[in-house]
């Protein structure tokens, strides 16, 4: 989760988020190189005392600064397209979770099991335990197995919402009358926090998401207890 003065991205907890961070660093490196080069050229230009009286056009330099940016764009486009297809890939999910956005809470259904569904509300500040996170903790967490492919179906009952967990690299819009899906794999146990990322009304800030990642054998025990 985000902590004080955290200016960068959150630590990744899924392979897709790792790839997103790698791409971010790759694109940032290219941007820094371009900025340094252009800055150096501008600096030398300002302090250059030489004048070429016979310069009418520079065909060679025109060709260079047309082709070079095209090549640089290819170095950004190919990794970007690869990542785009990776994010859309659905790999034989072990568990399907359905998240439904409401004003202003989330409800969840475990589609593979009978009668496993619940609402998830933010815990008000006056009811929060001493070790709880204000505006982030919920009464019913989403429990999911680690190291398993999870498919999530997202929709909404009233207005557009967005189901977002930054540490997993997941952000899916919930649109009324429409099902959007994505997949992710959580590679370590723990609690992962997210929030609705689409302005959806007065209490938009008060519908957080909490995922509890646990080993598969504990998940089977939890689902058996809640399925009965």
């Amino acid at each position: 989760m985000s902590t004080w003065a955290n200016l960068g991205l959150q630590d990744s907890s899924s392979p897709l988020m790792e790839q997103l961070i790698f791409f971010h660093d790759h694109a940032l490196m290219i941007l820094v190189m371009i900025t340094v080069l252009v800055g150096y050229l501008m600096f030398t230009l300002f302090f250059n005392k030489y004048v070429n009286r016979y310069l009418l056009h520079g065909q060679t330099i025109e060709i260079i600064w047309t082709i070079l940016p095209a090549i640089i764009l290819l170095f950004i486009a190919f990794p970007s397209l690869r990542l785009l297809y990776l994010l859309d890939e659905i790999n034989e999910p072990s568990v399907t979770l359905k998240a439904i956005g409401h004003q202003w809470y989330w409800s969840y259904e475990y589609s593979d099991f009978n009668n496993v569904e619940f609402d998830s509300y933010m815990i008000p500040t006056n009811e929060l335990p001493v070790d709880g996170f204000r505006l982030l903790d919920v009464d019913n967490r989403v429990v999911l197995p680690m190291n398993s492919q999870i498919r999530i179906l997202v929709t909404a009952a009233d207005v557009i919402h967005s189901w977002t967990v930054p540490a997993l690299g997941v952000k899916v819009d919930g649109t009324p009358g429409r099902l959007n899906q994505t997949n992710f794999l959580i590679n370590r146990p723990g609690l992962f926090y997210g929030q609705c990322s689409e302005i959806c009304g007065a209490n938009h800030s008060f519908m957080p998401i909490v995922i509890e990642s646990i080993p598969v054998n504990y998940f089977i025990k939890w689902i058996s207890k809640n399925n009965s």
Side-chain angles (χ1 to χ4, degrees):
M1 62 177 291
S2 283
T3 51
W4 293 111
N6 183 7
L7 298 177
L9 298 167
Q10 293 184 25
D11 292 339
S12 71
S13 300
S14 76
L16 288 177
M17 188 58 188
E18 279 180 25
Q19 292 296 317
L20 284 165
I21 291 172
F22 289 151
F23 177 69
H24 168 269
D25 296 344
H26 169 76
L28 198 63
M29 184 191 71
I30 291 172
L31 286 173
V32 168
M33 287 166 60
I34 292 169
T35 307
V36 168
L37 177 64
V38 172
Y40 170 74
L41 291 173
M42 288 175 68
F43 183 81
T44 53
L45 196 65
F46 284 135
F47 297 99
N48 182 12
K49 291 187 170 57
Y50 295 106
V51 177
N52 186 349
R53 288 188 301 163
Y54 303 107
L55 182 65
L56 296 174
H57 61 86
Q59 199 161 351
T60 309
I61 195 72
E62 290 278 1
I63 291 168
I64 290 169
W65 70 38
T66 302
I67 292 173
L68 201 61
I71 293 168
I72 292 168
L73 283 174
L74 287 177
F75 275 97
I76 297 173
F78 284 132
S80 174
L81 286 169
R82 172 183 164 272
L83 192 51
L84 206 59
Y85 281 102
L86 273 177
L87 290 168
D88 277 343
E89 193 75 34
I90 303 292
N91 305 305
E92 295 184 9
S94 307
V95 177
T96 297
L97 174 72
K98 186 178 180 185
I100 305 162
H102 303 264
Q103 288 180 311
W104 289 272
Y105 65 96
W106 293 97
S107 57
Y108 297 98
E109 299 172 8
Y110 288 77
S111 311
D112 305 310
F113 309 97
N114 294 324
N115 304 320
V116 184
E117 51 186 70
F118 53 85
D119 296 333
S120 181
Y121 288 87
M122 184 192 77
I123 301 173
T125 307
N126 58 341
E127 297 175 18
L128 201 62
V130 178
D131 58 348
F133 292 111
R134 193 178 73 89
L135 303 183
L136 279 179
D137 265 316
V138 296
D139 55 358
N140 291 311
R141 295 169 178 163
V142 178
V143 179
L144 291 171
M146 60 181 279
N147 292 326
S148 305
Q149 285 290 341
I150 311 295
R151 172 174 58 189
I152 178 154
L153 306 171
V154 184
T155 187
D158 34 49
V159 298
I160 298 175
H161 299 275
S162 187
W163 197 87
T164 306
V165 184
L168 304 178
V170 177
K171 186 175 190 293
V172 189
D173 280 356
T175 311
R178 186 184 176 93
L179 269 181
N180 292 326
Q181 76 168 358
T182 190
N183 79 301
F184 56 89
L185 181 144
I186 310 172
N187 55 21
R188 64 188 175 92
L191 293 177
F192 305 104
Y193 294 87
Q195 288 175 304
C196 177
S197 298
E198 187 71 49
I199 293 176
C200 55
N203 292 335
H204 158 68
S205 309
F206 309 122
M207 47 182 301
I209 299 151
V210 183
I211 292 178
E212 185 176 350
S213 169
I214 57 176
V216 177
N217 53 333
Y218 287 101
F219 175 76
I220 292 168
K221 287 178 185 175
W222 178 86
I223 208 79
S224 302
K225 191 176 81 172
N226 287 275
N227 203 23
S228 53

